[in-house]
Amino acid sequence: MTIHQQDFQEHRNTAATQIEVPAQRLGSVSRAAAVREAAPQAVPSPVPVPAPARTGHRFLIYKQDPSVAELGARLAFVPTVVLNGPTDARVRTEMQGVTPVARNVNGDFVFAAGSPQFDCAHTFAVVRQAIAMFERHNGGNPIPFAWNVGGNTDRISVFPRAGVGANAFYSRTAKALKFLFFTPEGQPETNVVHTCRSFDIVAHETGHALLDGLKPGWLSADGPPQTGGLHESFGDITAIFLALAQPDQAEALVALTKANLHDKSFLADVAEEFGRALGMPSGLRNADNDLKLSQVGNEVHAISQVFTGAIYDVLADVYTFEMARQRRTKDASLVLIETASALCRLVFDAIVASPATGARYVDVANKMLQISSGRGDPAIYRTFIRNRFAVREITTAATPLTDLMSGQMRMTDADYTGDGQDVTEVEALDEHSASLRAEQDRSRCCGTMQMPEYQVVDAEKLAKRGSLEDDDILRHDLDELRRAFSK
């Protein structure tokens, strides 16, 4: 007799015993009725619960960096298959003597904040989140790294503790993101700042890697300073939009600022801990700035802040408009998440549509205007874009700035343009600007822009994509040696 047959027989014997007892006592009640009343009730079956199509993993990460107490370390979910490392199909993590970091018994990468294992898991997760955000804006299609050509699927390697120094960088030659660590001057040796623990810095450097895949010619120092500025700005914009793609960060920001993005906050301050370690009052950069092109010359780090500031102002303007329109039907945090996502998609699409080399801010501005019009955004969106780029001295004022400068803009009027014209083509304000004609000064940029591979390899070679080798960087010197040794 099988186990199931034995269980069934025992169940029948038990049921029969239960039937006979009440039948002897009931007297006038028929045996059939007793059987019906004493029959065991069917046990209800639970309703099946649909299982997720694919599993994922939890990571403990800093939502900004260790110094931003409003958010601290929280759990994040990465909905892809992640192997011990952590590593997956696009990203691998390396730390000597530590990796591969193993998942815990629940299949998650949750470790004590500040530990080497935490640094590996946190850095991997933020890189993965940044990639996922732009792939969503890319129609769900993967964004290639610059070397992913001809069927190449090589991952990008992430080094959370790559060495000592106050910097971080992306290298196409190494196919890597490298994050350094340092002790601020005058501080005890135990007060180490790890750049990998900054959400902003990790997102920024990942932005460089992704933009190099989309626009491989833009990292060349041969382009105008504004092209370099677009690369540095894209890194900061990546950090801003990635923060606003996360509901807990968006909700915290709305509560902290009372839905006013021009209030001081962790969103506008980029890399707070790193900035303070270098003696700055808040972050390494401030996205909510008032810089104009005439104030920054040809220094790429400063030039980037002009573009970032314009985008940040557009974000604040659109959010103000959408809050007025939707505040009775949606939570303020949800409005911010949706507004930021739509603007991130607009900037992403505009950059993809911009020239392969020598791109200028006006090129991206015009693509933003045209794409916004094509997708049916309210006309006031394009008014915000025109105004903010014109105020920064990036473009001409194709429509009047009178209302903006007097504080009289009709921020709730979806059709507002200033003069009734919905212009989608603007001109650069000053074609002779140092930001367009001078050589790039990258002396204050992040480590990426100072890498020799982008300084000496020409734009044409970079724009072709593909892997870079050391010999590509040394090409000029090697050619000279060949000429000398052939005599």
Side-chain angles (χ1 to χ4, degrees):
M1 181 180 294
T2 67
I3 293 176
H4 294 298
Q5 289 172 332
Q6 183 177 353
D7 289 344
F8 179 68
Q9 185 61 45
E10 290 176 356
H11 176 71
R12 288 186 61 186
N13 293 341
T14 302
T17 302
Q18 290 174 338
I19 291 169
E20 289 175 2
V21 172
Q24 294 169 354
R25 295 176 180 174
L26 289 175
S28 60
V29 180
S30 71
R31 191 178 189 83
V35 170
R36 286 196 300 272
E37 290 180 8
Q41 298 297 311
V43 178
S45 299
V47 177
V49 177
R54 293 183 72 176
T55 188
H57 310 270
R58 288 174 293 189
F59 289 74
L60 185 66
I61 69 171
Y62 283 120
K63 285 291 185 166
Q64 279 291 305
D65 64 37
S67 70
V68 181
E70 295 97 336
L71 294 171
R74 298 189 183 187
L75 285 176
F77 180 65
V78 175
T80 59
V81 176
V82 182
L83 307 179
N84 289 342
T87 185
D88 68 1
R90 303 301 312 278
V91 183
R92 63 190 295 267
T93 317
E94 289 193 27
M95 185 185 294
Q96 188 173 4
V98 177
T99 53
V101 172
R103 294 164 294 193
N104 63 22
V105 294
N106 295 316
D108 299 324
F109 295 87
V110 178
F111 307 100
S115 67
Q117 293 81 5
F118 171 88
D119 287 350
C120 291
H122 158 89
T123 311
F124 173 91
V126 177
V127 170
R128 207 62 190 80
Q129 288 176 331
I131 293 172
M133 177 180 71
F134 284 117
E135 288 183 343
R136 290 194 296 270
H137 296 314
N138 197 40
N141 298 311
I143 296 173
F145 297 120
W147 52 87
N148 292 150
V149 295
N152 177 287
T153 60
D154 288 354
R155 302 171 176 87
I156 192 167
S157 296
V158 176
F159 295 80
R161 298 187 185 181
V164 177
N167 224 320
F169 60 90
Y170 154 71
S171 167
R172 190 194 299 187
T173 304
K175 300 178 182 176
L177 295 170
K178 297 193 176 185
F179 300 92
L180 309 183
F181 55 91
F182 67 102
T183 301
E185 187 176 351
Q187 295 289 319
E189 291 185 4
T190 54
N191 290 1
V192 180
V193 174
H194 290 82
T195 60
C196 73
R197 294 178 188 169
S198 169
F199 180 97
D200 290 340
I201 293 175
V202 176
H204 177 102
E205 298 305 332
T206 307
H208 279 304
L210 292 170
L211 186 54
D212 195 33
L214 292 166
K215 295 292 179 182
W218 282 17
L219 266 176
S220 171
D222 291 344
Q226 282 189 20
T227 309
L230 283 169
H231 235 288
E232 279 286 73
S233 179
F234 189 80
D236 286 350
I237 288 170
T238 298
I240 290 168
F241 285 130
L242 184 58
L244 295 180
Q246 304 191 10
D248 55 351
Q249 292 212 52
E251 183 178 40
L253 181 74
V254 168
L256 182 67
T257 65
K258 296 183 178 179
N260 179 6
L261 298 191
H262 290 299
D263 269 7
K264 183 174 176 56
S265 72
F266 60 81
L267 183 69
D269 286 338
V270 178
E272 291 90 336
E273 183 182 53
F274 188 73
R276 292 191 185 100
L278 298 183
M280 299 176 183
S282 53
L284 189 62
R285 286 178 293 280
N286 177 21
D288 190 16
N289 64 70
D290 296 315
L291 287 171
K292 301 176 181 179
L293 280 183
S294 63
Q295 298 172 311
V296 298
N298 65 326
E299 199 279 297
V300 172
H301 176 274
I303 289 172
S304 74
Q305 294 180 75
V306 179
F307 187 87
T308 302
I311 296 299
Y312 191 90
D313 282 346
V314 173
L315 172 65
D317 287 347
V318 175
Y319 182 52
T320 298
F321 168 76
E322 292 296 346
M323 273 293 291
R325 184 161 73 162
Q326 300 188 68
R327 65 186 179 86
R328 295 185 182 278
T329 57
K330 285 184 182 176
D331 181 84
S333 300
L334 180 57
V335 175
L336 178 57
I337 292 168
E338 292 178 347
T339 297
S341 179
L343 181 57
C344 183
R345 172 67 182 270
L346 180 61
V347 174
F348 175 84
D349 288 346
I351 283 174
V352 170
S354 293
T357 58
R360 306 168 299 162
Y361 291 177
V362 67
D363 297 321
V364 179
N366 279 326
K367 294 300 181 183
M368 288 177 67
L369 291 169
Q370 292 153 17
I371 294 169
S372 172
S373 178
R375 72 184 191 184
D377 292 336
I380 197 170
Y381 276 37
R382 293 177 291 286
T383 303
F384 294 146
I385 294 168
R386 288 191 301 268
N387 285 352
R388 294 307 181 179
F389 278 93
V391 166
R392 302 281 175 160
E393 299 175 347
I394 294 170
T395 65
T396 56
T399 50
L401 300 177
T402 308
D403 291 348
L404 173 68
M405 302 308 292
S406 64
Q408 301 298 314
M409 271 192 64
R410 299 198 297 275
M411 299 294 290
T412 60
D413 183 354
D415 298 323
Y416 176 78
T417 64
D419 65 352
Q421 300 183 64
D422 190 3
V423 177
T424 58
E425 183 80 24
V426 291
E427 301 293 332
L429 179 66
D430 182 6
E431 295 284 357
H432 299 284
S433 167
S435 69
L436 287 174
R437 298 177 65 86
E439 291 186 359
Q440 292 187 29
D441 173 9
R442 296 183 170 187
S443 59
R444 295 179 58 203
C445 291
C446 76
T448 297
M449 303 296 285
Q450 298 186 43
M451 294 293 290
E453 59 202 87
Y454 311 127
Q455 300 279 2
V456 300
V457 178
D458 62 68
E460 184 178 353
K461 169 68 177 175
L462 289 174
K464 289 179 180 178
R465 290 192 173 91
S467 300
L468 285 179
E469 307 296 336
D470 288 345
D471 282 2
D472 293 317
I473 303 172
L474 301 173
R475 181 67 55 202
H476 176 73
D477 292 342
L478 290 171
D479 287 345
E480 284 190 346
L481 289 173
R482 291 188 185 95
R483 286 192 294 269
F485 297 159
S486 64
K487 296 177 181 178

